[in-house]
Amino acid sequence: MLSRYKSWMHTPEALAKHFIAYNAKFLGNTEVDQPKGTEVVKDAVRKLKFQRHIKKSEGQKTPKVELQISIYGVKILDPKSKDVLYNCQLHRISFCADDKTDKRIFTFICKDSESNKHLCYVFDSEKCAEEITLTIGQAFDLAYKKFLESGGKDVETRKQIGGLQKRIQELENENSDLKRQLKNLEEQLMIAKVQPADSVSSKSPTDVFDMIPFSTVTPLVPVPANNGKPPPPPARPADPKKDLFGAEPFDPFICGAADFPPDIQSKLDEMQEGFKMGLTLEGTVFSLDPLDGHC
């Protein structure tokens, strides 16, 4: 563990009532077998450095994070959105050290609250690796002094605070998800508003058989202006001998012999002969008068 220092870098109030923030690159975390030990963190550092080297060769950059250190723990946040990525409570951190061979690297081991596994977190800070390690050590020292002053009662309070911090982190994550969903909906709404008018179909509504429904209303046809003159009479057919459908009227007495079959033509001939004989009868009078003696 860290050696005790007589003087620290920060005031006790800064860590007890507030927090100290640092920016660093986050290489990741990995499970370890032991809660402490220099060799344990060295193995974790080598493993995560190798994984980061592979990701870097694939074009992935090392993510940047913000560390907030206080007597209650170490929070790892996204520097832009301020979303809490990890909340490592101080009483769960069992080891903290910087790498003496690589001055940019510092680590700490924390027991996960859900899986109860020991995870080693590894960070890269070009200028502040040792300072961040000392700040975590100062937070431990202040928390221990507060524990002695409270006679051990502060342990239960810290557990309650830890539970509340976990619930706050869950709510913050839910809030971030809702913000992302709201942003996606706003983008979809903007796309729908700027959609070109040509993309809207001008096709008439159809029924289930893809047919235009029948309407008894006659469509309105614009009538050209006549400058105050009465409307012209309706146009008549060019050929008066034809009917409305353009066909010649049927007259059985003027049809030619070749227009009908032989049996029908013979009946027509008999009708024509009988009609002519009735017109040429002389001396025969047909009367409907009862006083007339002729019948």
Side-chain angles (χ1 to χ4, degrees):
M1 191 65 184
L2 293 171
S3 61
R4 295 298 180 89
Y5 285 80
K6 294 183 179 180
S7 61
W8 296 101
M9 300 180 62
H10 309 286
T11 61
E13 291 77 11
L15 290 168
K17 297 182 179 181
H18 305 284
F19 58 83
I20 306 299
Y22 293 96
N23 291 322
K25 293 181 180 180
F26 185 39
L27 274 67
N29 58 18
T30 184
E31 184 181 356
V32 292
D33 298 331
Q34 301 295 327
K36 61 179 65 177
T38 304
E39 294 299 324
V40 174
V41 295
K42 282 184 178 180
D43 292 339
V45 170
R46 282 194 292 266
K47 179 180 179 180
L48 292 175
K49 276 186 174 182
F50 179 73
Q51 293 178 358
R52 182 53 54 185
H53 180 72
I54 294 176
K55 292 181 179 180
K56 188 176 181 180
S57 64
E58 295 175 352
Q60 299 183 22
K61 295 182 178 180
T62 304
K64 295 181 180 179
V65 295
E66 178 181 327
L67 300 176
Q68 293 182 357
I69 304 172
S70 68
I71 62 172
Y72 301 105
V74 179
K75 286 185 178 181
I76 305 172
L77 298 86
D78 183 283
K80 294 182 179 179
S81 64
K82 301 299 180 182
D83 293 338
V84 179
L85 305 177
Y86 300 96
N87 186 13
C88 303
Q89 300 173 14
L90 199 67
H91 67 277
R92 291 184 174 274
I93 297 177
S94 56
F95 190 79
C96 180
D98 53 351
D99 193 342
K100 300 304 179 184
T101 58
D102 190 346
K103 298 296 183 179
R104 301 177 307 172
I105 302 298
F106 68 95
T107 66
F108 63 82
I109 298 176
C110 180
K111 188 176 183 180
D112 186 67
S113 59
E114 296 182 358
S115 63
N116 286 328
K117 295 179 180 179
H118 292 93
L119 301 177
C120 182
Y121 293 79
V122 180
F123 302 88
D124 184 340
S125 179
E126 187 174 354
K127 298 179 180 180
C128 302
E130 184 178 2
E131 181 179 340
I132 294 172
T133 305
L134 293 175
T135 302
I136 296 175
Q138 184 180 359
F140 268 104
D141 187 68
L142 292 174
Y144 182 70
K145 288 180 179 179
K146 191 174 181 181
F147 169 76
L148 295 178
E149 292 173 359
S150 64
K153 296 179 181 180
D154 190 54
V155 175
E156 187 65 27
T157 303
R158 279 170 36 184
K159 288 183 179 179
Q160 294 177 0
I161 293 174
L164 292 175
Q165 289 178 340
K166 181 179 179 181
R167 180 56 183 162
I168 291 173
Q169 179 179 352
E170 293 175 353
L171 293 174
E172 289 177 348
N173 294 335
E174 292 177 3
N175 188 32
S176 300
D177 293 338
L178 291 175
K179 285 182 179 180
R180 283 191 289 268
Q181 294 177 11
L182 180 60
K183 185 178 180 181
N184 293 334
L185 291 175
E186 290 177 350
E187 292 176 354
Q188 294 177 5
L189 183 60
M190 292 298 297
I191 293 174
K193 285 183 178 180
V194 301
Q195 187 177 6
D198 295 341
S199 62
V200 180
S201 176
S202 59
K203 185 179 179 181
S204 301
T206 59
D207 57 12
V208 293
F209 301 103
D210 199 23
M211 299 179 65
I212 299 176
F214 173 74
S215 176
T216 56
V217 180
T218 305
L220 298 178
V221 180
V223 179
N226 294 322
N227 297 326
K229 297 181 181 180
R236 297 181 178 180
D239 190 353
K241 295 181 179 181
K242 295 184 179 181
D243 58 10
L244 182 62
F245 301 99
E248 296 181 357
F250 174 73
D251 189 351
F253 299 103
I254 63 175
C255 294
D259 296 336
F260 300 97
D263 53 347
I264 298 177
Q265 187 63 42
S266 61
K267 294 291 184 181
L268 293 176
D269 293 341
E270 292 177 3
M271 291 172 63
Q272 289 179 352
E273 290 295 330
F275 181 72
K276 291 178 181 179
M277 289 177 64
L279 294 177
T280 56
L281 288 177
E282 295 180 357
T284 303
V285 179
F286 296 91
S287 175
L288 298 177
D289 190 354
L291 299 179
D292 195 346
H294 302 282
C295 59

